[in-house]
């Protein structure tokens, strides 16, 4: 009788927990130039999520492309992020863009336009992958923002 009661308690706890709901992708925000030097410009942004599950999972951001002034220049690569359970959270999206790619012939006209307007059009485009206990989901990311540049 005691073993049955313990087994029923464990099964009740297991089945009452949310596991298969995917975290809700809320937004990408705070796109900005965080650092720049003669070799690289570092762009950062934050992707916000809400996880309703009782169990944490993993998010992977590989494959998000960074497009500056309609020219693909870099991609976001990172390690997996641990998703906290039952909580809103954000993950950083960071990309290093080589300055010589900004100065190439195909980007020269858009670069001159950016220098005059003191703004760059930055787009994050790609997918974020979520995995938990064999369950997975892909979120599409497509966020464009005008980023102020300092001369």
């Amino acid at each position: 009788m005691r073993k049955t009661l313990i087994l029923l308690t464990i099964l009740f706890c297991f089945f009452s927990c949310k596991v298969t709901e995917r975290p809700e992708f809320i937004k990408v925000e705070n796109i900005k130039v965080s650092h720049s030097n003669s070799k690289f410009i570092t762009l950062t942004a934050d992707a916000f999520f809400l996880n309703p599950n009782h169990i944490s999972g993993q998010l992977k951001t590989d494959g998000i492309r960074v497009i500056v002034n309609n020219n693909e220049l870099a991609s976001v690569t990172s390690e997996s992020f641990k998703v906290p359970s039952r909580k809103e959270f954000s993950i950083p999206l960071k990309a290093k863009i080589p300055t010589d790619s900004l100065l190439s012939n195909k980007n020269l006209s858009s670069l001159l336009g950016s220098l005059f307007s003191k703004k760059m059009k930055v787009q994050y485009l790609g997918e974020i992958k979520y995995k938990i206990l064999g369950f997975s989901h892909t979120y599409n990311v497509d966020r464009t923002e005008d980023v102020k540049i300092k001369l």
Side-chain angles (χ1 to χ4, degrees):
M1 178 71 175
R2 187 172 180 181
K3 289 181 184 180
T4 306
L5 184 60
I6 291 172
L7 181 61
L8 286 174
T9 304
I10 291 171
L11 288 174
F12 176 75
C13 290
F14 179 74
F15 287 113
S16 67
C17 294
K18 292 181 182 179
V19 175
T20 59
E21 284 190 43
R22 62 187 177 113
E24 178 186 347
F25 174 62
I26 301 171
K27 61 187 171 185
V28 173
E29 199 171 77
N30 304 324
I31 299 174
K32 62 183 177 184
V33 176
S34 66
H35 181 73
S36 63
N37 60 33
S38 62
K39 295 185 181 201
F40 290 99
I41 294 174
T42 304
L43 292 174
T44 59
D46 296 313
F48 291 88
F49 292 86
L50 175 63
N51 185 13
N53 294 312
H54 289 76
I55 298 175
S56 62
Q58 296 286 322
L59 282 175
K60 188 84 168 144
T61 60
D62 287 348
I64 296 179
R65 300 181 318 252
V66 179
I67 301 166
V68 177
N69 294 335
N70 297 321
N71 296 305
E72 187 176 330
L73 299 178
S75 63
V76 174
T77 55
S78 65
E79 295 181 21
S80 292
F81 291 93
K82 185 175 181 179
V83 175
S85 59
R86 301 186 51 83
K87 190 173 183 181
E88 186 174 322
F89 64 97
S90 68
I91 60 171
L93 304 175
K94 186 176 177 180
K96 280 187 163 184
I97 300 173
T99 53
D100 58 353
S101 68
L102 284 172
L103 300 175
S104 69
N105 287 338
K106 72 176 190 174
N107 295 330
L108 199 53
S109 63
S110 67
L111 179 64
L112 288 174
S114 292
L115 291 174
F116 288 121
S117 67
K118 295 185 181 178
K119 291 183 181 179
M120 291 188 308
K121 185 173 106 178
V122 178
Q123 180 181 17
Y124 280 79
L125 183 65
E127 297 177 339
I128 296 175
K129 294 178 183 158
Y130 171 69
K131 290 183 182 180
I132 181 173
L133 301 176
F135 170 76
S136 67
H137 184 73
T138 302
Y139 300 95
N140 292 322
V141 174
D142 186 358
R143 172 71 178 174
T144 304
E145 201 169 294
D146 288 330
V147 177
K148 293 180 183 179
I149 56 174
K150 297 176 185 176
L151 300 176

